[in-house]
């Protein structure tokens, strides 16, 4: 199968923080892969803008090393790398001062898409926005891309939105949640709204419950000081898990346009019920045989920040009334996997004598480590011996179904950056969505703070604290096994 690469318009993409970790690990190697795929018009340019005192050549050397380290493809022929590096420029800039801004303004061209990626600390967003405006670098057509975290509570998110709104319209602002750039996440919408099969069953009449799991095997590692100020709720649930929940739970938009999709997601967030504190389990990993505990990792023996969270969430609307959504995410768990499972209700009555097993259809949507879907169905066990039933997965792993080209498909960052250049905001969070998500999150975090909640501990390499199992046991349910597929 030949992959279809649709070129985008010519662009000048400025990456503020172009020497930083995110730019070197994800953004530039991703752009290189799009370049290799032939998606980047000849006249497009990427301009790194950061504090380091570099020139174009110095920046190209830095990015050549980054591509070698993080490029992730054998195709990195030196000729291709050289051609890509030719597209790179660099301006030493001070977000808080005047240095570099005139040079940047002189470098920009009028007849191409102008995009500005804020790959810097959120505390610099206001400074950048103001100077982009005052130095006339970015006008009404420019697009700006902002990274997570978008605030740490409702007030700070509102303040960020207000700051950006002083100089940019909402249709110019692209708030990234890279989970939304994953192939499977988009496929979730294709499966739901492109088939007649699922949508009639996608409601409280047929769905028993839904699980959303984002499990990591790594510790907080070197991110300890950042992580300890946020925790799993702010770092994962408020954004990534919430976005997945919205896509699973939303009504069909009347068309597949940015605002129609985001309007529906917003309705889901607004329908989320406040979560009772006993429906939440927070955890912190203990020390392992050779691994430090969470508290040792963050160098705070009294830290109360959670590295794990499991919760039961209810959505108050006609479609989902009575269907619990169980969310869990954490570090140092036994498998690295991101998965959504739609668990359908039991068959009301079995006609097969002697069959007392519980057979359930389960649609599993995997996002990590491999992207794909499978649908558990009940069939007759092959061979003699009468009607014995077994449950088997109908595997829809994309690499098998669609062919090798899946490996060449853009990763989340690449796809999202190309969407920015195309001017397509569908897979980006709107300001009101982010605020609504914080409005739901804030009282939960406030509740823990008020009562001095201390997370339960859990063994590294486990599925989290025992209480997380109890959360579902109490409802007569059980988490699906935590394993990488
Ligand atoms: P980093 O510290 O590695 O890089 C920061 C960059 O900002 C550097 O290029 C630096 O030169 C530039 N910078 C700092 N102060 C400046 C100033 N006054 N003027 C101009 N440039 C300045 O940070 P990072 O890890 O690349 O993260 C960047 C942003 O992306 C942060 O908001 C972070 O939360 C977010 N983010 C990072 C990751 C990741 O994996 N690194 C993942 C998700 C989100």
């Amino acid at each position: 199968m030949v992959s279809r690469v649709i070129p985008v318009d010519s662009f000048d993409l400025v990456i503020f923080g172009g020497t930083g970790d995110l730019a070197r690990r994800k953004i530039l190697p991703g752009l290189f892969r799009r370049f290799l795929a032939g998606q980047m018009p000849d006249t497009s340019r990427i301009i790194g803008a950061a504090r380091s005192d570099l020139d174009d050549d110095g920046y190209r050397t830095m990015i050549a090393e980054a591509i070698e380290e993080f490029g992730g493809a054998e195709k990195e022929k030196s000729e291709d790398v050289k051609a890509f590096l030719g597209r790179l420029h660099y301006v030493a800039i001070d977000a808080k001062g005047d240095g570099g801004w005139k040079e940047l303004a002189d470098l920009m061209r009028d007849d191409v898409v102008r995009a500005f990626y804020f790959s810097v600390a959120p505390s610099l967003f206001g400074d950048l926005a103001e100077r982009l405006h005052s130095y006339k670098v970015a006008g009404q057509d420019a697009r700006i891309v902002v990274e997570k975290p978008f605030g740490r509570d409702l007030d700070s998110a509102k303040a960020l939105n207000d700051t950006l709104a002083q100089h940019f319209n909402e249709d110019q602002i692209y708030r990234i949640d890279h989970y939304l750039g994953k192939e499977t996440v988009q496929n979730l919408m294709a499966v739901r709204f492109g088939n007649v099969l699922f949508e009639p069953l996608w409601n409280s009449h047929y769905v028993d419950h839904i699980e959303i799991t984002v499990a990591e095997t790594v510790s907080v590692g070197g991110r300890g000081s950042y992580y300890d100020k946020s925790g799993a709720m702010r770092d994962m649930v408020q954004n990534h898990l919430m976005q997945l929940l919205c896509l699973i739970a939303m009504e069909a938009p009347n068309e597949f346009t940015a605002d129609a999709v985001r309007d529906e997601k917003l309705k889901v967030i607004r329908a989320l019920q406040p979560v009772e504190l006993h429906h939440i389990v927070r955890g912190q990993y203990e020390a392992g045989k050779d691994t430090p505990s969470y508290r040792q990792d963050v160098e705070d023996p009294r830290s109360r920040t959670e590295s794990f969270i499991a919760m039961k969430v209810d959505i108050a609307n006609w479609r989902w009334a009575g269907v619990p959504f169980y969310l869990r995410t954490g570090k140092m768990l036994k498998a690295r996997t991101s998965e959504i499972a739609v668990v359908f209700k039991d068959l009301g009555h079995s006609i097969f004598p002697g069959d007392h097993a519980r057979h359930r259809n389960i649609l599993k949507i995997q996002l990590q480590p491999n992207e794909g879907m499978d649908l558990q169905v009940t069939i007759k066990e092959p061979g003699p011996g009468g009607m014995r039933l077994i449950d088997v997965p109908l595997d829809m792993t994309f690499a098998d179904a669609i062919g090798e080209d899946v490996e060449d498909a853009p990763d989340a960052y690449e796809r999202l950056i190309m969407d920015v250049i195309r001017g397509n905001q569908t897979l980006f969070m709107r300001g009101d969505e982010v605020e609504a998500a914080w409005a739901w999150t804030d009282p939960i975090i406030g509740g823990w703070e008020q009562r001095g909640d201390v997370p339960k501990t859990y063994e590294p390499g486990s599925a989290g604290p025992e209480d997380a199992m109890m959360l579902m046991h109490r409802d007569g349910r059980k988490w699906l096994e935590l394993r990488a597929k």
Side-chain angles (χ1 to χ4, degrees):
M1 198 173 94
V2 179
S3 55
R4 265 184 341 122
V5 173
I6 302 167
V8 293
D9 290 339
S10 185
F11 59 84
D12 277 351
L13 170 63
V14 177
I15 305 174
F16 292 112
T19 59
D21 175 70
L22 184 67
R24 283 181 296 111
R25 242 169 5 93
K26 288 280 178 194
I27 304 173
L28 271 309
L31 285 164
F32 174 60
R33 284 192 291 272
R34 289 298 89 209
F35 169 81
L36 282 182
Q39 204 168 16
M40 203 181 284
D42 289 346
T43 50
S44 301
R45 301 183 309 175
I46 298 158
I47 301 159
R51 248 188 331 198
S52 313
D53 188 17
L54 292 171
D55 58 11
D56 286 355
D57 282 343
Y59 190 56
R60 288 171 184 155
T61 306
M62 173 189 268
I63 299 309
E65 285 166 13
I67 289 173
E68 199 177 321
E69 194 175 347
F70 304 113
E74 311 84 56
K75 293 181 193 155
E76 287 145 29
K77 298 191 204 92
S78 59
E79 281 309 303
D80 289 329
V81 177
K82 219 165 116 190
F84 175 71
L85 295 177
R87 309 285 183 86
L88 301 190
H89 299 269
Y90 184 80
V91 179
I93 210 158
D94 180 8
K96 288 177 166 299
D98 296 322
W101 285 97
K102 183 155 181 331
E103 289 83 337
L104 183 62
D106 291 345
L107 200 58
M108 302 301 291
R109 297 170 298 169
D110 282 331
D111 50 350
V112 295
V113 172
R114 290 184 182 199
F116 300 89
Y117 200 127
F118 288 14
S119 182
V120 295
S123 56
L124 295 179
F125 289 1
D127 297 302
L128 290 178
E130 200 181 300
R131 283 168 181 73
L132 280 173
H133 180 75
S134 61
Y135 281 91
K136 300 193 170 39
V137 183
Q140 290 297 302
D141 297 333
R143 291 154 204 177
I144 62 161
V145 185
V146 293
E147 263 298 336
K148 90 167 210 193
F150 200 85
R152 56 173 287 106
D153 53 24
L154 179 58
D155 286 347
S156 54
K158 271 187 175 161
L160 271 182
N161 276 336
D162 290 348
T163 303
L164 295 176
Q166 282 174 23
H167 303 294
F168 298 98
N169 300 321
E170 183 59 36
D171 63 9
Q172 296 181 275
I173 304 171
Y174 293 71
R175 294 175 196 78
I176 281 212
D177 184 321
H178 70 271
Y179 270 55
L180 292 182
K182 289 183 181 288
E183 184 76 17
T184 323
V185 168
Q186 292 163 75
N187 238 315
L188 179 59
M189 288 189 273
V191 165
R192 277 195 67 190
F193 304 126
N195 293 282
V196 76
L197 203 61
F198 296 106
E199 204 43 32
L201 308 180
W202 211 262
N203 56 53
S204 60
H205 298 298
Y206 296 99
V207 174
D208 179 76
H209 69 275
I210 290 176
E211 294 178 33
I212 302 178
T213 297
V214 177
E216 296 177 274
T217 49
V218 294
S219 67
V220 293
R223 289 176 71 220
S225 60
Y226 160 77
Y227 191 92
D228 200 42
K229 288 191 213 86
S230 82
M233 187 71 181
R234 287 190 170 99
D235 194 48
M236 298 298 294
V237 177
Q238 185 273 344
N239 38 63
H240 304 317
L241 277 82
M242 174 79 76
Q243 288 296 320
L244 298 180
L245 180 135
C246 284
L247 295 176
I248 282 278
M250 72 184 190
E251 297 298 316
N254 58 341
E255 53 183 1
F256 193 59
T257 57
D259 275 331
V261 170
R262 297 186 301 178
D263 285 347
E264 294 306 333
K265 282 163 58 194
L266 181 61
K267 282 187 209 160
V268 174
I269 304 175
R270 291 194 172 145
L272 289 177
Q273 290 299 285
V275 184
E276 293 172 41
L277 290 178
H278 69 278
H279 284 163
I280 307 180
V281 178
R282 299 166 75 222
Q284 259 182 5
Y285 55 83
E286 297 163 352
K289 210 156 66 78
D290 309 307
T291 52
S293 69
Y294 175 80
R295 289 180 172 188
Q296 287 165 331
D297 270 338
V298 302
E299 295 174 7
D300 178 356
R302 287 206 292 270
S303 170
R304 290 180 172 181
T305 306
E306 75 286 352
S307 62
F308 172 96
I309 190 164
M311 60 201 303
K312 177 179 165 182
V313 175
D314 292 312
I315 300 175
N317 63 22
W318 274 28
R319 186 185 283 267
W320 295 118
V323 179
F325 285 66
Y326 297 96
L327 318 185
R328 66 176 161 172
T329 180
K331 297 200 174 281
M332 283 301 251
L333 296 174
K334 74 185 216 200
R336 172 175 176 255
T337 177
S338 299
E339 182 176 81
I340 302 167
V342 181
V343 181
F344 291 91
K345 287 191 171 166
D346 288 355
L347 211 56
H349 165 73
S350 174
I351 62 165
F352 304 105
D355 176 46
H356 303 299
R358 172 186 255 193
H359 299 291
R360 290 189 143 176
N361 297 120
I362 303 177
L363 178 68
K364 289 189 197 162
I365 301 136
Q366 285 103 23
L367 299 121
Q368 259 173 182
N370 299 309
E371 298 199 46
M373 299 195 194
D374 71 54
L375 178 64
Q376 179 174 296
V377 291
T378 303
I379 60 165
K380 175 188 170 297
E381 190 174 344
M387 283 298 279
R388 280 176 291 124
L389 303 186
I390 51 167
D391 297 326
V392 293
L394 264 182
D395 198 330
M396 300 187 270
T397 305
F398 301 138
D400 299 341
I402 302 171
E404 291 159 8
D405 279 2
V406 170
E407 302 212 343
D408 291 334
D411 86 355
Y413 270 97
E414 297 165 41
R415 182 190 314 276
L416 292 173
I417 295 171
M418 289 298 122
D419 275 358
V420 173
I421 307 296
R422 287 192 197 97
N424 183 350
Q425 290 186 303
T426 310
L427 300 176
F428 296 84
M429 294 177 294
R430 210 168 53 191
D432 51 2
E433 250 184 277
V434 179
E435 289 185 14
W438 280 121
W440 176 79
T441 312
D442 274 2
I444 299 173
I445 296 176
W448 299 332
E449 285 170 358
Q450 210 174 25
R451 65 174 192 174
D453 191 77
V454 181
K456 309 275 188 249
T457 57
Y458 61 95
E459 272 180 46
S462 70
E466 198 53 35
D467 287 27
M469 312 304 133
M470 291 308 298
L471 183 71
M472 281 188 88
H473 281 187
R474 276 203 302 264
D475 297 343
R477 300 187 175 99
K478 204 170 151 215
W479 293 100
L480 294 179
E481 171 105 32
L482 199 57
R483 66 188 166 93
K485 186 168 178 255

